[in-house]
Amino acid sequence: MIDELATAIKKKKAILFAGSGVSKNLGLPDYSEMIQQIAENLGFNPEEFRAWGDRDFLTLAEYYFLEKGSLGELRSWMDRKWHNPKIELQHSEIHRMLIDLHFPLIYTTNFDRWLEEAHDHYGRPYTKITNVADITQIEDGKTQIVKFHGDFDDDSSIVLTESSFFKRLDFETSLDIKLRSDSLEKSLLFIGYSLSDINIRYMLYKLHNQWKISKYEHLRPKSYILLNEPNPIKETILKERGIIPIIYENENPGKALHAFLTDLLHLVQKE
């Protein structure tokens, strides 16, 4: 499986889909810390606040938006915390290997700028795409970094509240249409995702359904997802939807990702 994926990457026939696990190795705050910040901003005890929202971040962010009228203050805090000047990108082997794999297309649900910063650091040109206007700026030879859930530079684009999440599930924005088009000719590789992410699972279902109703499912490029632990139930569902699970078993997802990228890069660079 990994040999076929490496071949697709060599031929520039693979799209990377990067989740929060890619940025996590830089020590960025997790959702628990974000919930605590929301509670403090609203004057609540963090543990009580978590319990009232059933620890559902989207619900709590929705309440924050209704109370404050905007996400501006929270977005500013996230931007500061996630782009701490003490973070040393040059020490992230995961980001270095992603650059060395040289994907022509990278989709990400992360708000942070570390993929863009990595391209800047290693001198790789790219075009950041957050809306339909950015699509007109695409240039041959430049990596496309598609911010699928929005970007800190545009508050209105960020998918953070329950309402914005539900709107995203319509799967009919310009970025969704672009993904459906891009995936017709290229394999998809998902890294840094948990199978508990319903948005990604729904997207995989929609992409699978696109092929199924076309009657040309046999022509579909193979797609892959990296998992750090086996799960026979979800693996079966993924396979039925045309996604091949690649298991690198490790209780630490970051170590599993590092091992996988090391092996993948070795195969891609192999003569």
Side-chain angles (χ1 to χ4, degrees), residues 57-108:
F57 180 79
L58 293 172
T59 301
L60 298 173
E62 182 80 13
Y63 177 75
Y64 176 94
F65 178 79
L66 292 173
E67 289 294 296
K68 292 282 190 177
S70 80
L71 293 173
E73 187 180 352
L74 177 62
R75 199 276 307 158
S76 296
W77 175 84
M78 291 167 63
D79 201 347
R80 290 194 304 273
K81 291 289 287 187
W82 289 6
H83 299 102
N84 189 320
K86 293 182 180 179
I87 294 174
E88 298 179 316
L89 178 66
Q90 67 272 23
H91 296 319
S92 171
E93 292 187 23
I94 285 174
H95 283 81
R96 176 188 59 77
M97 287 189 283
L98 290 179
I99 294 296
D100 287 343
L101 286 167
H102 206 178
F103 288 92
L105 271 162
I106 300 175
Y107 282 76
T108 180

Side-chain angles (χ1 to χ4, degrees), residues 233-269:
I233 294 172
K234 290 180 178 177
E235 287 173 48
T236 298
I237 294 171
L238 284 168
K239 289 174 184 176
E240 192 277 330
R241 292 179 183 161
I243 308 296
I244 301 170
I246 299 175
I247 314 295
Y248 268 63
E249 196 166 355
N250 195 307
E251 63 181 16
N252 184 321
K255 290 183 179 180
L257 177 57
H258 186 279
F260 167 70
L261 291 177
T262 300
D263 290 347
L264 183 59
L265 183 59
H266 174 73
L267 289 171
V268 169
Q269 293 180 337

Side-chain angles (χ1 to χ4, degrees), residues 27-42:
L28 303 193
D30 59 19
Y31 279 105
S32 177
E33 190 172 341
M34 290 168 66
I35 290 174
Q36 180 167 330
Q37 181 64 26
I38 291 175
E40 290 174 358
N41 282 0
L42 294 173

Side-chain angles (χ1 to χ4, degrees), residues 12 102-106 119-120 123-129 134-146 178 186:
K12 306 299 181 188
H102 206 178
F103 288 92
L105 271 162
I106 300 175
H119 280 75
D120 286 334
R124 288 285 172 83
Y126 66 91
T127 300
K128 181 175 74 172
I129 299 170
D134 294 333
I135 295 175
T136 66
Q137 305 302 311
I138 291 172
E139 297 180 36
D140 289 340
K142 283 189 175 182
T143 297
Q144 299 172 37
I145 301 179
V146 184
K178 175 174 168 54
K186 290 181 172 63

